[in-house]
Amino acid sequence: MADILNQRQEKFLRALFETDTIEKACEVAGINKNTGFKYLKDETFLKEYRAIRRELMQQVTSKLQKASDEAVEVLKDVMHDKENSTPSSRVQAAKNILDVAYRSIDLDDLQEQVEKLQEIVGKNNV
């Protein structure tokens, strides 16, 4: 954790990720609710909190990406299994595959637009 947080803030920060409410995190950290909410308004504390949360979500995303190949295979198996799958489950599997394919194209298009905007904004800030 950052050297810029004091021990109480660090303890509260850890507790936020170990509990499911701010109130419980305050209890675990041994601070009152007002102090916890004060920390949550502090820019330095928030910056550290967001950095840790972002790292945790990147780990989750990585796990999801690794499992996605298996998920596609399951969908393909259901889609092609005329003996054991119902027509509606086969259609649903096909729709899921198409939906994800179309969404990925939309995301690529959005990424391209964002990059163009960043380029424009970057040129204007020079």
Side-chain angles (χ1 to χ4, degrees), residues 27-75:
E27 284 178 33
V28 169
I31 61 173
N32 67 47
K33 284 195 310 188
N34 290 337
T35 301
F37 283 102
K38 182 179 128 192
Y39 289 163
L40 288 167
K41 291 178 183 175
D42 179 74
E43 267 313 303
T44 303
F45 183 88
L46 278 176
K47 185 177 179 181
E48 187 68 16
Y49 172 76
R50 289 180 181 133
I52 292 170
R53 191 172 71 179
R54 190 175 305 112
E55 174 61 30
L56 290 172
M57 287 309 298
Q58 286 172 342
Q59 291 173 16
V60 168
T61 300
S62 177
K63 289 178 184 179
L64 287 170
Q65 287 172 334
K66 289 175 185 173
S68 65
D69 286 338
E70 290 178 52
V72 169
E73 288 306 315
V74 169
L75 288 172

